[in-house]
Amino acid sequence: MKHVRLKKGYDIRLDGDVSTKMEKDLKIPDLIAVKPIDFTELKEKMLVSEGESVKIGTPLFYAKQNERIKFVSTVSGIVKEIRRGERRKVTAVIVENNKKCEREEITIDETSRENIVESLCSSGLFPLFRQRPFHKIANPDDLPRDIFISGFDTAPLATDQAFLIHENRTAFQYGINILKKLTNGKIYFGINDSTPSDITGVENVKFTGPHPSGNVGVQIHHISPIKGRKDLVWTINVSGVIKIGLLFSEKKIPTVQIVKVAGTASQNSGYFKIICGSILNTFCSANTNSARFISGNPLTGTNEGFEGFLGFYDDLVSILPEPKDASFLGWISPGFGKETKSRTLMTGFLGKSSKFDIPTAINGGQRAFIASGIYEDVLPMDILPVYLMKSILAEDVEEMEALGIYEVAEEDIALCEFICPSKIEWQEILRNGLIYMEKEA
């Protein structure tokens, strides 16, 4: 087994993590939502209107880019609201749950690759696959070179992927067997010491090192790098493989998933069984009146609020304290109790076992960029992040290609944004660069 040892990166010392204790009862929500904004660059075409009755598996909208890709309801009930944002962009389709679990009749067929793809598209599970380059929903008409799965997550407060596999071992293996029929290449499975290594049908590659060693993009870079915009690979997370396994083994659309709730502002941390897309107030609560509810991890997740909904790709809700006011003379304080990667503050001299209650404040606004050379220390890839950002801002297509833009996604450079003393929005700049490359290159 190949073993990749990474030295670059950083494990954020964020307090509020929990054990794998799981509440057995299923949390049934009054509302669920399917959010087009969860899917990068998706242009949706609505198939339902407000007040319309739907069942589990009823298509709510489809992708204009490829009409085969459907997005379905995970409960039966009535479409309560079609929420819109700027330029009337649909941000969420909210369904009120009648708790009758009525289902649409769909055909699930695994006899050929084309039938598998068609079953995934009609069941609303095909968007679980995302392609590199561009980190967006894969095209069902493409044949990926390989498929990559990360079996562990190193992001702060991250869900224990080994625990998810342990709870759904049979479904996960069934999902792997289905994935093998979708590519002529290999299924690469990135593992660490806690991930099961006896899954059949995959090529295990072991990774050790700090975050972001658990990112699938970093793993692709060290296993079989992307060579250009036409060198397509697909990625999928552990929860996605489990859902696909359940779809084909039980012949019905899976609607239940395990999600972790963590963070120092969380009142009921732990693992819960919920309906996909549930409203967060069904299973989350805060121990303070001022808290941020993030669907996903603190580095790349979305601020949803207490009345928000779990994202399509997320298996984690992070609840962090939201400071109301700036810290008085905070810039001159010694920084006791504050996290820092550098040794600007006294806590920088403490070890990895020290944990801190990190609020959502970014401690300052955007300012002139400082070329300090710190970013390369947290990106374990053969990529120069500062020069890549500059080439994006200059819209230099050749330079972006040469600097490896096809290999990275927002999650891979999120640590650069976290440690950035200039408060630069690295993830937003990279996304703009990827969009530009797809249109212009």
Side-chain angles (χ1 to χ4, degrees), residues 144-160:
R145 185 240 298 165
D146 298 303
I147 297 177
F148 291 81
I149 308 161
S150 177
F152 65 104
D153 193 342
T154 50
L157 304 179
T159 300
D160 186 343

Side-chain angles (χ1 to χ4, degrees), residues 6-12 150 152-156 207-222 299-300 375-381 409-416:
L6 302 176
K7 294 182 178 179
K8 292 182 177 180
Y10 184 64
D11 291 322
I12 299 174
S150 177
F152 65 104
D153 193 342
T154 50
F207 285 83
T208 52
H211 182 65
S213 61
N215 284 9
V216 71
V218 173
Q219 296 175 6
I220 294 171
H221 180 81
H222 289 278
L299 290 176
T300 60
Y375 308 106
E376 288 78 4
D377 292 339
V378 296
L379 184 61
M381 303 170 79
E410 289 93 325
E411 61 184 15
D412 300 322
I413 61 162
L415 267 179
C416 296

Side-chain angles (χ1 to χ4, degrees), residues 389-400 432 436:
M389 291 298 113
K390 289 182 176 180
S391 66
I392 293 172
L393 294 173
E395 298 184 344
D396 187 333
V397 172
E398 291 184 359
E399 195 72 5
M400 282 189 268
N432 291 337
Y436 186 81

Side-chain angles (χ1 to χ4, degrees), residues 5 82 86 98 113 147-148 172 187-188 196 200 275 304 314 337 357 362 373 379 412:
R5 296 176 175 85
I82 298 177
E86 294 182 1
N98 64 13
R113 183 185 187 277
I147 297 177
F148 291 81
F172 185 78
I187 309 293
Y188 288 106
T200 59
I275 303 296
E304 285 287 330
D314 297 329
D357 182 7
I362 61 173
L379 184 61
D412 300 322

